[in-house]
Amino acid sequence: MEFSITPIGIIQTPFDNLKGMPIQPSGAAKVMETIVMEKEYEQGLNDLDGFSHIILLYHFHESKGYNLMVKPFLDDHKRGLFSTRAPRRPNPIGLSIVRLIKREGNRLTIKGIDVLNGTPLIDIKPYVPGFDTKEVTSIGWLEKSYEKAVSIKSDDRFI
């Protein structure tokens, strides 16, 4: 089965190159940037400004191909692709939870985004702790290294 997805907007960031950018939103906690929605979707932003955080789904538009075993940024061993957040995937879709600062017409100011400038936005959903927060009992191989995501920057392994 094939289907198509049409971007609803563009995420603007200071990151024009994959090399050296944050690898997770936690590493971009102070980055304040903008989403510019297509005008035809502006009405869909009504009432969103009542939420402090939103979930962004986006297309890794610079991602080409994929491998089922990858060496992630936070480990020295190859891991199964689906146990990582590597951008090179069969369906290159990313997800970030960001702070919504304000809405002005078809523009959203957000904080904590770690994507390339010009990333196509697929969807926005409100983050609701009562819906989205789960009691986590294990985080697999990331248990030993997840805290490093705040300081580790991207290199050329997924370019």
Side-chain angles (χ1 to χ4, degrees):
M1 173 175 29
E2 289 192 32
F3 61 92
S4 64
I5 294 176
T6 302
I8 61 170
I10 297 294
I11 304 170
Q12 297 175 338
T13 73
F15 310 117
D16 290 322
N17 189 319
L18 287 171
K19 197 168 183 179
M21 66 181 265
I23 63 166
Q24 292 296 325
S26 61
K30 296 180 181 174
V31 176
M32 184 128 37
E33 290 306 328
T34 305
I35 294 172
V36 180
M37 297 289 290
E38 296 293 334
K39 285 295 238 179
E40 66 185 285
Y41 301 114
E42 182 178 344
Q43 186 177 22
L45 297 174
N46 289 349
D47 307 308
L48 192 64
D49 53 358
F51 294 88
S52 68
H53 289 78
I54 55 177
I55 301 168
L56 305 179
L57 297 172
Y58 45 85
H59 178 240
F60 288 123
H61 64 295
E62 294 292 326
S63 178
K64 306 289 186 254
Y66 65 92
N67 293 310
L68 294 176
M69 296 297 292
V70 298
K71 187 172 129 185
F73 293 119
L74 295 173
D75 201 10
D76 293 329
H77 298 46
K78 284 195 171 189
R79 302 288 180 175
L81 175 65
F82 301 120
S83 76
T84 75
R85 294 187 173 195
R88 293 182 55 213
R89 315 180 75 77
N91 293 306
I93 296 171
L95 176 147
S96 293
I97 298 170
V98 299
R99 180 158 184 83
L100 176 60
I101 304 301
K102 67 180 174 180
R103 174 195 170 197
E104 295 176 302
N106 69 325
R107 301 172 74 84
L108 300 175
T109 302
I110 57 171
K111 191 172 184 182
I113 189 65
D114 66 327
V115 300
L116 280 175
N117 188 38
T119 294
L121 182 65
I122 296 171
D123 201 1
I124 300 172
K125 299 180 186 299
Y127 178 82
V128 181
F131 300 167
D132 302 316
T133 302
K134 305 295 179 205
E135 181 180 341
V136 177
T137 58
S138 66
I139 57 170
W141 64 268
L142 277 164
E143 187 70 41
K144 297 175 185 170
S145 60
Y146 77 96
E147 292 173 333
K148 292 189 253 178
V150 173
S151 59
I152 292 180
K153 302 296 182 203
S154 176
D155 56 27
D156 61 359
R157 75 184 76 191
F158 296 113
I159 295 175

